[in-house]
């Protein structure tokens, strides 16, 4: 019963072609630093998705570390530098 | 000083994602610095202060990147919605008005009723991605707003999200280096 419903929805809406998905996966592949450097075209979609998840998680971690670092620096940086940056931003 | 002023001139003419983000993020950082003047002397309280401020800075960074990306992207809309509802919830819990938070929770639960069937591809197709794999589920959890997308938009949004995230890290790194000199 549910398969019939899904099939009718499939024909009504946009059909997802294999080529479309392959294009999107290869586009993702180009963005990942590890796979892009390895230069192999035979990376499976599952691996690309796995690497994407890992890459996004590592980027989140880097943002956390950088915010900590910026918070520390914000308390120690001298007011003259901050004033310069603020004046440049106001222009 | 000349180099930086020339840099600022190019900022105003080429408004790419990067410059939009850098501009917005720097401005909010400076506002934050103005608000909290360093006064504490004991190390423990200042560590807590630093950690609390780093959480604030992280939220500012994500807000800046979502604003720079614009409302045309589903992931940026999801981030902005999350930040706004968090701010609203914070405001309402402070006001101790339980009625509003309850109605807001009902609204959020209604939006979560996802169309789970729009990922099913025609049976018998021989593509390598035919069903909702484990990795796709993980991706949906990580990418903001990923739970309600179909496969094509999920991949598309993920690609854009990765691009903007790496740019965010790049800019934050440059700012931190600049400050630490």
């Amino acid at each position: 019963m549910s398969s019939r419903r899904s099939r009718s929805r499939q024909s009504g809406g946009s059909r997802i072609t294999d080529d479309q998905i392959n294009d999107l996966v290869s586009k993702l592949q180009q963005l990942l630093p590890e796979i892009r450097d390895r230069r192999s075209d035979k990376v499976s979609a599952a691996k690309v998705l796995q690497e994407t998840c890992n890459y996004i998680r590592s980027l989140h971690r880097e943002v956390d570390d950088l915010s900590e670092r910026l918070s520390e620096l914000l308390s120690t940086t001298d007011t003259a530098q901050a004033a310069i940056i603020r004046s440049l931003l106001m222009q | 000083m000349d180099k930086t002023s020339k840099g600022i001139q190019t900022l105003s003419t080429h408004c790419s994602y990067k410059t939009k983000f850098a501009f917005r993020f720097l401005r909010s950082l400076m506002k934050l610095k103005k608000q909290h003047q360093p006064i504490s002397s004991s190390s423990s309280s200042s560590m807590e202060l630093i950690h609390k401020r780093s959480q604030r800075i992280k939220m500012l960074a994500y807000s800046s990147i979502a604003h720079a990306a614009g409302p045309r992207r589903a992931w940026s809309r999801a981030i902005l919605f999350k930040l706004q509802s968090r701010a609203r919830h914070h405001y309402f819990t402070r006001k101790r008005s339980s009625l509003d938070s309850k109605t807001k929770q009902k609204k959020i639960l209604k939006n979560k009723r996802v169309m789970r069937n729009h990922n099913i591809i025609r049976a018998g197709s021989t593509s390598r991605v035919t069903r909702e794999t484990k990795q796709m589920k993980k991706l949906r959890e990580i990418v903001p707003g990923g739970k309600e997308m179909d496969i094509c938009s999920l991949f598309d949004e993920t690609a854009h999200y990765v691009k903007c995230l790496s740019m965010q890290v790049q800019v934050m790194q440059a700012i931190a280096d600049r400050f630490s000199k």
Side-chain angles (χ1 to χ4, degrees), chain B residues 4-181:
Chain B
T4 41
S5 58
K6 210 183 287 185
I8 295 293
Q9 266 177 13
T10 54
L11 263 179
S12 51
T13 47
H14 304 282
C15 261
S16 63
Y17 285 157
K18 195 174 195 175
T19 50
K20 269 193 218 168
F21 166 70
F23 216 72
R24 207 182 176 100
F25 184 55
L26 272 173
R27 192 183 290 169
S28 33
L29 269 185
M30 291 295 113
K31 211 193 292 183
L32 198 68
K33 172 152 180 76
K34 222 191 212 176
Q35 283 176 0
H36 303 275
Q37 296 301 326
I39 38 167
S40 58
S41 48
S42 63
S43 59
S44 59
S45 68
S46 67
M47 282 310 286
E48 221 182 271
L49 202 74
I50 286 178
H51 181 69
K52 232 186 257 185
R53 192 158 46 169
S54 78
Q55 298 294 98
R56 185 100 178 85
I57 290 180
K58 186 164 61 157
M59 286 216 295
L60 285 175
Y62 281 116
S63 153
S64 306
I65 193 71
H67 273 109
R72 262 182 291 131
R73 282 282 162 184
W75 64 265
S76 57
R77 289 197 299 265
I79 289 182
L80 290 174
F81 176 74
K82 186 169 66 168
L83 287 174
Q84 281 169 7
S85 54
R86 192 183 289 185
R88 231 178 286 145
H89 179 71
H90 191 66
Y91 175 72
F92 279 132
T93 48
R94 274 201 170 165
K95 264 198 146 183
R96 266 184 246 132
S97 146
S98 62
L99 182 67
D100 285 304
S101 58
K102 259 189 224 154
T103 52
K104 209 167 2 83
Q105 267 179 12
K106 257 194 240 166
K107 243 195 217 176
I108 293 175
L109 285 173
K110 225 201 251 179
N111 285 336
K112 273 193 172 167
R113 224 182 290 134
V114 182
M115 280 217 317
R116 288 195 194 93
N117 286 328
H118 55 191
N119 292 321
I120 296 178
I121 300 184
R122 215 175 342 146
S125 64
T126 53
S127 73
R128 25 180 206 177
V129 176
T130 51
R131 52 187 163 77
E132 187 75 6
T133 60
K134 203 173 17 167
Q135 290 87 13
M136 269 193 254
K137 278 204 197 103
K138 257 196 271 182
L139 206 61
R140 283 180 191 279
E141 287 168 28
I142 284 186
V143 174
K147 297 209 177 108
E148 282 112 18
M149 296 181 205
D150 56 307
I151 293 187
C152 277
S153 349
L154 178 68
F155 287 0
D156 191 36
E157 293 287 321
T158 305
H160 195 257
Y161 183 54
V162 164
K163 253 195 273 184
C164 288
L165 258 187
S166 52
M167 181 265 282
Q168 178 186 20
V169 164
Q170 209 180 356
V171 171
M172 285 173 84
Q173 184 86 47
I175 292 178
D177 291 339
R178 203 4 138 61
F179 268 140
S180 58
K181 282 226 182 77

Side-chain angles (χ1 to χ4, degrees), chain A residues 9-10 15 18 22 25 27 31 49-50 52 56-57 60 62 64 67-69 71 73-75 77, chain B residues 33 50-51 53-54 58 62 117 120 122 127-128 138 142 155-156 158-159 161 169 173 176-177:
Chain A
R9 190 175 293 150
Q10 190 62 54
R15 209 167 281 169
D18 297 350
N22 290 346
V25 170
K27 193 165 76 158
L31 291 171
L49 293 180
Q50 181 71 38
T52 310
I56 293 181
R57 277 200 211 110
H60 283 168
E62 275 202 59
D64 289 347
S67 335
E68 280 277 350
R69 192 171 152 204
S71 173
L73 285 171
L74 221 59
S75 54
T77 189
Chain B
K33 172 152 180 76
I50 286 178
H51 181 69
R53 192 158 46 169
S54 78
K58 186 164 61 157
Y62 281 116
N117 286 328
I120 296 178
R122 215 175 342 146
S127 73
R128 25 180 206 177
K138 257 196 271 182
I142 284 186
F155 287 0
D156 191 36
T158 305
Y161 183 54
V169 164
Q173 184 86 47
D177 291 339

